[in-house]
Amino acid sequence: MDSNVATLPAILAGIFNYGSNWNLILFIIIGCSIVSFTIFIERLMQLHRSEIDTNQFIIGMRKHIKDGNLVEAIQQCEKTGGTIAAIIKAGVLKHNRGKEQIESAMEIAGLIEIARLEKNAKILSIIAHVAPLIGLLGTVLGFIQAFAEMRLSGLVDISATRIGEAMEYALVTTAAGLVVAIPSVLAYNYIVSRVESFVLEIQTSSAEIVDLLLDREEGYA
């Protein structure tokens, strides 16, 4: 029993020290930073591709719908592309249906588009919460290694260098975890704020298009 307890710090120290200069905990944190950066850049590119000149797009759609050129309106949506255009197209395709069906079609399209914009963004939040915990784990393992050195070496032969290295690694992992977590939090909140601005544009644009379609149908009734 005592021998098993005695070897536990050594096992943990072996996990903590991975190679001569780096350790497993730092490799995991570095991996988290790469994933976080990659997702952030990919989301920025996706958001940029989804953006359009909403005002100019709505002006064109308003003209087509009032003139009764719904085919041209659909073609404009397909030519423009982007999140709002895809949602408006879903509503225009249901122009001869009731208000509830038009709104339902646009709502479903909106949910699909918003899910596409938010894809993988949650991973940034997960990394922001997990990275400091991983760093804290490295700190705990570092202190375990330091105390193991003290216990195994004794007070006379204690190596200040070895203990200092263990303490240094312990603090470095905590700092590394925070260095990854803080930008991840900022990146996640930025992506969320951009998506929320899309949601606001979708709501205002969709409401206007629904009114235009209903006014047109009432005019023909």
Side-chain angles (χ1 to χ4, degrees):
M1 181 67 177
D2 294 340
S3 61
N4 292 334
V5 175
T7 57
L8 180 59
I11 294 173
L12 292 174
I15 295 174
F16 181 73
N17 282 322
Y18 188 80
S20 57
N21 297 319
W22 298 96
N23 56 70
L24 182 58
I25 299 297
L26 284 178
F27 279 131
I28 294 174
I29 294 174
I30 291 171
C32 289
S33 68
I34 294 173
V35 172
S36 179
F37 180 77
T38 302
I39 291 175
F40 180 62
I41 296 300
E42 187 271 335
R43 286 296 88 196
L44 283 182
M45 295 173 63
Q46 180 62 49
L47 289 169
H48 180 71
R49 288 194 297 266
S50 300
E51 284 182 335
I52 62 172
D53 187 343
T54 305
N55 292 331
Q56 192 66 32
F57 172 72
I58 293 298
I59 290 172
M61 292 298 297
R62 187 185 298 123
K63 181 178 184 302
H64 289 314
I65 293 174
K66 286 183 176 180
D67 294 342
N69 300 323
L70 296 181
V71 174
E72 286 81 355
I74 294 172
Q75 289 176 346
Q76 181 182 344
C77 292
E78 294 175 345
K79 180 180 179 180
T80 303
T83 297
I84 295 177
I87 295 170
I88 299 302
K89 177 185 174 183
V92 176
L93 289 172
K94 300 287 185 179
H95 66 91
N96 57 346
R97 307 292 179 85
K99 179 180 180 180
E100 291 183 358
Q101 290 178 297
I102 295 174
E103 290 179 342
S104 177
M106 298 176 82
E107 183 178 354
I108 293 172
L111 291 174
I112 294 172
E113 291 297 320
I114 294 302
R116 186 170 59 84
L117 293 176
E118 293 178 338
K119 182 181 178 183
N120 295 330
K122 279 290 183 183
I123 298 177
L124 291 174
S125 178
I126 293 172
I127 291 175
H129 287 85
V130 170
L133 297 178
I134 296 174
L136 181 60
L137 174 62
T139 299
V140 172
L141 293 178
F143 280 112
I144 289 175
Q145 183 182 359
F147 286 120
E149 289 286 339
M150 294 179 188
R151 182 179 59 80
L152 295 175
S153 301
L155 294 177
V156 178
D157 300 327
I158 191 170
S159 173
T161 302
R162 292 283 297 168
I163 294 174
E165 289 176 355
M167 293 293 187
E168 180 183 3
Y169 276 126
L171 297 176
V172 165
T173 54
T174 299
L178 293 174
V179 166
V180 174
I182 293 172
S184 296
V185 170
L186 296 175
Y188 174 73
N189 283 282
Y190 176 76
I191 296 298
V192 169
S193 66
R194 290 284 298 274
V195 173
E196 288 176 350
S197 68
F198 267 105
V199 172
L200 181 60
E201 286 189 10
I202 290 169
Q203 291 174 341
T204 55
S205 301
S206 298
E208 182 174 354
I209 295 300
V210 169
D211 290 339
L212 288 171
L213 291 173
L214 292 177
D215 290 342
R216 175 186 174 276
E217 293 301 321
E218 290 175 359
Y220 279 100

